[in-house]
Structures are given as C-alpha cells and as structure tokens.
Amino acid sequence: MKSAHHQVTHAAVNGPQRPVLSPLRASTILLGFSVPISVALDNVLLAVLLLGLLFNARAVWRIATQHPVARAACLLFVALFAALFYGATPLREAAGALGKYIDLIFIPMFMLMLSREALRRRAHGAFLAAMGLTLLLSYAVGLHGLAVQPWMNAAATPDNPVIFHSHITQNNMMAFAVFLALLNLRDSATRAVQWAWGGFAVLAGINVLFMVQGRTGYLVLLALLGWFAWSTLGRYVRGRGRAWGWQQGAVLMLMLAGLMAATYSASPRLHDRVGLIFSEFQAWQPNHGKDTSTGQRLDFYYNSLKIVQQQPLLGVGTGGFAASFAQQTRGTDVLQTPNPHNEYLMIATQSGLIGLALLLYLFYALWRYAPRLGNVFEQDAARGLVLAYMVNGAFNSALHDHADGLFFAFMAAVLFAGLKPAPRAVEGVA
C-alpha cells in the first residue's frame, strides 16, 4: 500500500491540475520574498493561490488530513472556527478575527506547491534575499547613508532603522535569518561561501542586537543561537563516537550565557534597553502599568489570565477578546487592547484550554516530525522554527499578526513539504 505522503506528492506532480501548478508554485516562492516586505503583495499572491485551490482541492485535502503538521495546523483553525458560534461577538466581527488565522489553512496548499526539493530551496532563498535587502536598507538608514523614505515603516529613524514592518517583526525575522545563515554556513563546501554566510550572520546579528529596538528579537536570537550550537556540536560529538549528554549541554549553555553577558556589558544601548525592562517590571502593580511598555504588557497578561479563569474550557469565542478585556478592566485605568500580546493567551481567551492544547500540539508536531525530514539542514531549521515561535508567542500574538503568522505558515511548509513517510507506511511493512 502506498503511503499518504507518496500519494499527495504524486498528485501534485502528475495529476490533472498540472497546467496551473507552475504559476501557483511561482506565487508560493514569491511569498518568501514578499512576507518580510509587502502586505499588499502578500494579499495578491494569496489571492492567486486561493484561486488555484479550486483546481487542486482534492490534493490539498489529502495533505490537510494526512500530513501530521498540516493536520495539526488545520485542527487549530477548526477550533477557532467552532468558537465563532458561541460568545457575544457579532458573527461578522468574529469572522474578521478568524481571518487573522487563515494562514494556518494555507499550509497544505503551500506544501503542495513546494513538493520538490528544488522549489523549497528557491523559497528559502527568496526569504533570505528579502532579509538581505532589508538588512542593506537598515544599515543605510542607521549609518545615515540614506534618508528615511515615505514608503518605509512610519517608525523608521536612524536610531531605529526599521524598513518594511514593525521593529518587532523585523527583528524576529532577522533573528531567524541569522539562524538560517548559520545553517547554510555549516553546510557550505567552499571557504568563499562560508565567509559570505558568516558575514551575513554577523551583520544581521548586529542589526538585531544593536540597531533595531525589537526586544523580543533578542530572546529569539538567543534561543536560535543556543539551538544551533547545541545541534551542531551534538552532531559533531556523536559523529566521533562520543556521548553527548547534559554535562556537555550545560557547559555549552554557560558559554552562551557568558557571551550574551559580555555583549550586554559592551553595549550601553543594549544595556539600557534590557535594564529598562527590569526596572519597569519591578515597579509594576496590577492594573497600574499603563505608563510603561512593560507595565502595559503585564496588565494585558494579568487580565487575560483572569478571563481564562472565568471561561477555561471553551473561552469567550473567536473575536471576543477585546470586549471581554474591556469588561474585565472596567473601572480601572488599564490601557485597552485588541490582543494581549501573547499568542498563548490570545488562543486561550478565545477558544479556551482546548484551543491552547491544539496550539501546543502544533508546536509538538513540528518538533516531533522534524527528525523525519530529508536532510540535517531541514531537521535543525524545523526545530529552530518551533523555538522561535514559542519565544515569540510568549511576548506577541505572533500567529494573529499578518506578517508573523504568514511567515510561520510559509516556513512550516518550506521545511515540512518533503516530510518522509514513517517506516511502517512503506509498502510491504506491517
């Protein structure tokens, strides 16, 4: 019996839909370039892919139901869809909130379009090209070589050289670009290419830590550097026939902590930003944090947890967060917000612990099936994606945000479209 993965791949390449696949694949690859740059272009490409779905519905359905990562993403969307129909939010408003998560159900379509390894390499390269352009422009603005342009982000200044998206989004994506550059450096066969990837990684890391003000990016970068060091040294040690256990890992983590401490001490700008977080945290009192950025977020978290406690199983319904938050904070001077800047709380308030469990299951599926990917690059990159979004989701509503959510869906498809079938699914094996 042929595996489900083999059937889906066969349908993608040889099915009756073949004449329309080429422009659809091009649109999918171009998303890698557009996501860090243009929301308008994203929407055009997604509209093309949505039209293409009509010609490939059967193959997409197979992936959505049989591919473990695509299935986990679709289950989370289904939970949010079901939550449309309870709660006090008007259906039109709730449907708009659900649309924030529609990227999750594009994952099977992206996977269908990226069934070939060569296409996945192009998609990965398109993202890095966009980040290279972003990095170039960011340095040009930050070093006063280019004036801030009208088409740049409204918050762009030489002291905060964000280009296309917010400082949070740019820093998170740039941190992941650093990670991918290091993986490419590790796999490079020539010294010249290694120097090129290494230079990109260093310049991008400086941009994250010392130029752009997205503080979540510091933690994302730290998590990804830790995972890169752990996976790289672990594979090297095991490849030489030695054990790689918690003792070696502890030494590695201490070395990384020392490196980060040295970086923190060497940069007054970074020192001030991190120090400000700690001072604002220490000064925070529940429902009295509106005057500081950290205090506002802590108020968001505190009151969101109260909402979850009141509606733990099913939540308040999709799109119901803003009204529930306003009701919860009535009589206080808490700053109002349409989302709690925390994806775990955003999902839990709307769809309860059921939705939160499905979000965690999605991360679990990504982590669990990463070792079945076709090469070491994809395996390590996939687990890096999990870590990046687990950290990002703790401080931002990452999947709710257009650019971050679409990037997650796109990169999950790039990395997992080539997932190998389990050994038991191979013909002749019980």
Side-chain angles (χ1 to χ4, degrees):
M1 179 179 178
K2 292 183 178 180
S3 70
H5 176 71
H6 176 80
Q7 291 171 349
V8 171
T9 304
H10 180 80
V13 177
N14 300 314
Q17 306 88 350
R18 189 174 181 178
V20 298
L21 283 181
S22 186
L24 294 178
R25 283 175 170 158
S27 296
T28 307
I29 292 168
L30 281 173
L31 271 175
F33 188 82
S34 71
V35 170
I37 291 177
S38 171
V39 173
L41 183 55
D42 291 344
N43 291 332
V44 170
L45 295 172
L46 288 174
V48 171
L49 288 165
L50 189 60
L51 181 63
L53 177 62
L54 300 176
F55 298 93
N56 298 276
R58 181 175 296 179
V60 171
W61 176 255
R62 287 176 182 168
I63 296 174
T65 55
Q66 298 174 2
H67 191 294
V69 170
R71 183 170 60 238
C74 291
L75 283 173
L76 176 57
F77 185 83
V78 167
L80 291 165
F81 176 79
L84 283 175
F85 303 104
Y86 57 85
T89 308
L91 187 58
R92 177 177 294 184
E93 185 179 339
L98 179 68
K100 299 287 188 179
Y101 292 96
I102 199 169
D103 303 321
L104 293 169
I105 59 172
F106 270 100
I107 291 177
M109 184 66 177
F110 296 160
M111 287 180 171
L112 179 63
M113 296 301 108
L114 298 173
S115 58
R116 299 173 185 169
E117 184 178 355
L119 298 173
R120 296 195 293 276
R121 286 199 299 268
R122 292 178 186 177
H124 155 242
F127 166 69
L128 286 174
M131 296 314 297
L133 175 62
T134 303
L135 187 64
L136 177 65
L137 293 172
S138 187
Y139 269 93
V141 171
L143 297 176
H144 301 275
L146 175 68
V148 174
Q149 301 298 310
W151 46 266
M152 291 180 181
N153 186 276
T157 66
D159 288 332
N160 185 34
V162 292
I163 304 301
F164 300 111
H165 287 302
S166 71
H167 57 276
I168 296 173
T169 298
Q170 178 172 317
N171 250 14
N172 291 338
M173 289 190 182
M174 194 65 73
F176 200 78
V178 172
F179 175 61
L180 291 181
L182 291 173
L183 292 178
N184 278 302
L185 182 154
R186 190 180 68 183
D187 289 352
S188 298
T190 65
R191 186 62 57 87
V193 175
Q194 290 174 346
W195 276 103
W197 284 121
F200 179 93
V202 169
L203 291 173
I206 292 172
N207 188 254
V208 170
L209 292 172
F210 305 119
M211 297 177 67
V212 177
Q213 296 175 9
R215 290 175 289 191
T216 307
Y218 305 160
L219 299 177
V220 172
L221 182 60
L222 176 61
L224 291 174
L225 290 177
W227 170 242
F228 174 77
W230 176 279
S231 60
T232 301
L233 293 179
R235 291 180 188 279
Y236 172 78
V237 170
R238 288 192 298 270
R240 296 178 67 87
R242 302 175 188 171
W244 177 251
W246 68 267
Q247 298 95 335
Q248 292 84 355
V251 171
L252 176 61
M253 292 302 107
L254 287 173
M255 292 174 63
L256 283 172
L259 177 62
M260 293 302 296
T263 304
Y264 171 76
S265 300
S267 171
R269 187 174 182 181
L270 181 61
H271 186 279
D272 291 344
R273 290 178 190 168
V274 176
L276 181 62
I277 295 174
F278 283 105
S279 63
E280 291 176 352
F281 178 83
Q282 291 175 340
W284 175 74
Q285 295 293 327
N287 293 334
H288 292 85
K290 71 173 186 177
D291 294 329
T292 67
S293 175
T294 304
Q296 290 170 10
R297 284 178 179 258
L298 291 172
D299 280 347
F300 298 161
Y301 302 161
Y302 176 80
N303 288 287
S304 297
L305 285 170
K306 293 290 187 182
I307 296 171
V308 174
Q309 288 175 349
Q310 295 163 15
Q311 301 282 346
L313 186 61
L314 297 177
V316 299
T318 298
F321 175 82
S324 296
F325 189 84
Q327 182 177 359
Q328 172 63 34
T329 57
R330 184 177 301 166
T332 71
D333 61 353
V334 172
L335 183 71
Q336 295 302 299
T337 179
N339 74 80
H341 296 268
N342 179 296
E343 192 60 64
Y344 306 101
L345 291 173
M346 187 64 175
I347 294 290
T349 54
Q350 295 180 98
S351 54
L353 297 180
I354 293 176
L356 178 60
L358 289 172
L359 173 62
L360 297 176
Y361 175 69
L362 173 58
F363 290 149
Y364 166 77
L366 289 162
W367 188 272
R368 176 186 175 186
Y369 290 99
R372 275 176 40 190
L373 295 173
N375 55 65
V376 171
F377 178 96
E378 290 180 342
Q379 293 168 10
D380 289 346
R383 287 187 163 177
L385 182 68
V386 178
L387 294 173
Y389 271 81
M390 289 187 73
V391 172
N392 190 358
F395 303 98
N396 306 286
S397 300
L399 300 183
H400 181 267
D401 176 77
H402 168 80
D404 280 332
L406 183 54
F407 177 67
F408 174 83
F410 172 80
M411 192 55 63
V414 169
L415 295 171
F416 283 91
L419 182 67
K420 293 180 178 180
R424 64 185 179 186
V426 177
E427 186 174 357
V429 178

